[in-house]
Amino acid sequence: MFLTREDGMILGPVCWLLGKIFNWIYMFVGFIGSHMGFTYVNLSVCVILFTFVLRGALFPLYFKQQRSSKIMSFIQPEIAKATKKYKGKTDQDSMMKQQQETQKIQKKYGVSMASGCLTSLIQLPIFYGLYRVIQNIPAYVPSMTKKYSEIVDILSTKTDYIKAISDVAGESKVSTVTMALKQMGDDPTRNQIIDVLDKFAKSDWDKLISNLDLAGNATLTSYVDQFHNMNQFLFGLNIADAPGWKLSIALVVPIVSALLQFLQTKISMKSSQNNNMDSNQQTANNMMKGMMYYMPIMSLIFCITLPIAIGLYWIVGSVIMIISQLIVDAYYNHQDKDELLAKCAEKAAKKQAKKKNPDKKSFYERMMDAQNGNVPTENSQSENINKMASSRLKSYVNPAHSVNVDSDDVTRRENVNYKPGSIGAKANIMLKYQNNSNDKGGNK
């Protein structure tokens, strides 16, 4: 039921907050419009202003992300110099030491490879919340809900109004009407009826009014004209409708969105490129190259299948991000790089000095240590590995007591040199312990 608000533990509060913001923007646009002689609020204008408000709220995070990206590109020569001796080496020890050198320099300047994740993580619930609000605007704009309720009261004066709505909706060319109709059922609630009516195009309304013989109802025709004007965008497009896969002028929205997404990713990638990149930075750069192609494709598919209002948000958002990226680039291109790095190092040192435990590593550093096998034995993760290795060994048959097993073969297995701290080394220690216990007459 679309009119029902999102009530999830995470998305519920997000949708509630976004709905409040959208309603305030709706009232602001209505106030300005009323002084300009308009009797309705154009929702496409609300969506555009909504996008500016959200992007403005996220700009400090975005600026911090871009600043970190710029600093990362500035310190690449220092990282390349420090890790030059490990270039071309693929053994685990060398890769671990190279990673440690990189982390040390990044920590010196207060940056990390994971610093840009926060903005992306925050935008996921916001995007889904935005979709829910735009898809269910009457649920978050009380004045619209009131008008639709009055329309339902007028329609309900006709005994066969539900069948008439279903018949018109079934013949509608608006894809979102079909989706709402599936939710309506044979005995719909008021909210379910409003869901269908909210997606009606002007032609659908005209047909419904004609079928129910309500052309003389001034209140109904006035509201229908208002809702039609509210959903109108360029070229007569209805922002509540999805372009779909049919050939139409509505496909301009997803195509423009995909092109702007491509341009945004290309500009962002060009801004963070550097000739002196380590292996991790090269990997990240290759991922960015992949994103330059699959993000526009994803944008194209989403904007084809979702309402035009979502595509409008994506287009305006991309334009804002492109302009923001150009401003950030222009700002840092006019900064003295050495002076900027010195300030970053000083700020990072002060921040590190304020910590209660300066030697405590960040989550990203601990994650990279775990990936490279650099986990202290007293660490809880190492204890878990010990437990796992021990429990798995108990399920195996001891080779020393297995039938048809050569004792020399067992000795060779025990003499294999494993990397300290690895599961293989821990398993070998357990194996030796078990063999020694059995030699003494124990049965561990």
Side-chain angles (χ1 to χ4, degrees):
M1 186 160 39
F2 290 115
L3 197 61
T4 303
R5 298 185 182 187
E6 180 68 48
D7 57 357
M9 185 179 297
I10 297 177
L11 291 175
V14 172
C15 291
W16 177 85
L17 178 59
L18 294 180
K20 287 290 184 183
I21 295 173
F22 193 92
N23 185 43
W24 294 332
I25 293 173
Y26 178 90
M27 291 190 293
F28 172 75
V29 173
F31 175 78
I32 300 297
S34 63
H35 285 75
M36 298 176 64
F38 291 97
T39 58
Y40 61 90
V41 178
N42 190 283
L43 294 179
S44 59
V45 175
C46 294
V47 171
I48 292 172
L49 291 177
F50 192 41
T51 308
F52 272 97
V53 170
L54 292 183
R55 293 294 183 178
L58 291 173
F59 183 77
L61 290 175
Y62 173 76
F63 184 82
K64 185 176 180 180
Q65 176 188 1
Q66 293 304 312
R67 175 184 177 278
S68 178
S69 179
K70 276 291 183 183
I71 300 301
M72 286 288 290
S73 66
F74 289 160
I75 65 175
Q76 281 310 308
E78 186 174 344
I79 292 176
K81 183 179 179 181
T83 59
K84 186 177 180 181
K85 55 187 172 183
Y86 304 112
K87 189 174 182 180
K89 296 181 179 180
T90 57
D91 60 285
Q92 193 170 6
D93 281 336
S94 298
M95 293 178 68
M96 184 176 66
K97 290 176 181 178
Q98 181 181 5
Q99 186 64 47
Q100 289 172 343
E101 291 281 358
T102 302
Q103 289 178 6
K104 184 179 178 181
I105 296 173
Q106 290 174 353
K107 193 172 184 179
K108 173 184 173 182
Y109 294 103
V111 295
S112 72
M113 292 290 290
S115 57
C117 295
L118 181 60
T119 306
S120 301
L121 290 174
I122 289 177
Q123 288 191 58
L124 288 177
I126 288 179
F127 176 76
Y128 184 79
L130 170 81
Y131 165 70
R132 290 288 298 179
V133 170
I134 291 177
Q135 183 75 357
N136 319 307
I137 289 177
Y140 296 94
V141 180
S143 61
M144 289 186 64
T145 306
K146 182 180 178 182
K147 290 179 181 179
Y148 273 117
S149 293
E150 291 180 27
I151 289 177
V152 173
D153 290 338
I154 294 171
L155 297 178
S156 62
T157 59
K158 303 294 181 177
T159 55
D160 57 346
Y161 79 102
I162 292 179
K163 183 179 182 302
I165 292 173
S166 299
D167 291 342
V168 173
E171 298 173 0
S172 177
K173 295 181 180 179
V174 181
S175 59
T176 48
V177 172
T178 306
M179 293 171 57
L181 179 61
K182 292 178 181 178
Q183 300 284 336
M184 195 169 81
D186 297 327
D187 187 21
T189 63
R190 177 179 291 261
N191 283 352
Q192 289 173 327
I193 295 173
I194 293 176
D195 285 335
V196 176
L197 297 178
D198 180 47
K199 310 299 181 295
F200 268 15
K202 185 64 165 60
S203 58
D204 298 327
W205 278 112
D206 293 340
K207 190 181 294 185
L208 178 64
I209 291 172
S210 175
N211 292 348
L212 293 177
D213 193 22
L214 289 170
N217 192 300
T219 302
L220 178 60
T221 54
S222 174
Y223 282 165
V224 168
D225 288 338
Q226 287 183 37
F227 289 137
H228 171 68
N229 291 324
M230 287 170 67
N231 287 324
Q232 287 299 292
F233 186 51
L234 299 176
F235 312 114
L237 297 175
N238 184 341
I239 64 170
D241 190 19
W245 299 97
K246 59 184 182 295
L247 186 62
S248 66
I249 190 66
L251 288 176
V252 170
V253 174
I255 291 173
V256 171
S257 174
L259 290 175
L260 287 174
Q261 188 69 45
F262 175 82
L263 182 61
Q264 176 190 336
T265 311
K266 189 174 179 66
I267 292 175
S268 178
M269 187 178 70
K270 184 179 179 181
S271 172
S272 59
Q273 276 185 340
N274 191 288
N275 294 327
N276 299 301
M277 293 189 292
D278 64 0
S279 58
N280 291 324
Q281 194 72 10
Q282 287 174 352
T283 302
N285 190 59
N286 291 333
M287 289 177 63
M288 283 289 291
K289 286 181 179 178
M291 288 177 61
M292 188 171 65
Y293 296 102
Y294 72 72
M295 282 294 290
I297 294 174
M298 185 179 70
S299 172
L300 180 69
I301 295 173
F302 280 3
C303 292
I304 286 176
T305 55
L306 297 178
I308 289 174
I310 298 294
L312 180 59
Y313 167 81
W314 217 314
I315 288 172
V316 176
S318 293
V319 171
I320 294 173
M321 295 300 281
I322 289 171
I323 295 173
S324 301
Q325 181 70 65
L326 294 175
I327 292 174
V328 170
D329 288 346
Y331 172 78
Y332 280 108
N333 288 340
H334 289 82
Q335 294 287 312
D336 183 271
K337 186 170 70 173
D338 295 332
E339 184 180 346
L340 180 63
L341 290 178
K343 288 181 180 179
C344 290
E346 182 181 357
K347 185 177 179 181
K350 288 180 179 179
K351 187 176 179 180
Q352 192 71 13
K354 290 180 180 179
K355 288 184 178 180
K356 294 182 180 179
N357 186 4
D359 296 327
K360 185 178 179 181
K361 294 186 177 182
S362 66
F363 171 76
Y364 175 74
E365 290 173 328
R366 296 197 303 270
M367 183 179 67
M368 294 307 299
D369 283 346
Q371 177 181 325
N372 293 319
N374 184 28
V375 184
T377 55
E378 68 274 9
N379 192 284
S380 60
Q381 184 175 351
S382 181
E383 292 176 3
N384 290 334
I385 293 174
N386 279 326
K387 291 178 182 178
M388 181 176 66
S390 178
S391 62
R392 289 186 176 181
L393 268 173
K394 290 178 181 178
S395 65
Y396 298 150
V397 178
N398 189 338
H401 293 103
S402 298
V403 181
N404 299 326
V405 177
D406 187 0
S407 59
D408 292 337
D409 183 54
V410 175
T411 304
R412 283 195 298 272
R413 294 183 195 180
E414 294 178 350
N415 291 333
V416 175
N417 292 323
Y418 295 97
K419 176 179 173 55
S422 66
I423 292 179
K426 297 175 188 298
N428 202 33
I429 292 171
M430 292 295 297
L431 180 61
K432 290 179 180 179
Y433 172 75
Q434 192 173 13
N435 290 336
N436 291 336
S437 298
N438 288 329
D439 289 340
K440 295 177 181 178
N443 188 20
K444 301 290 183 182

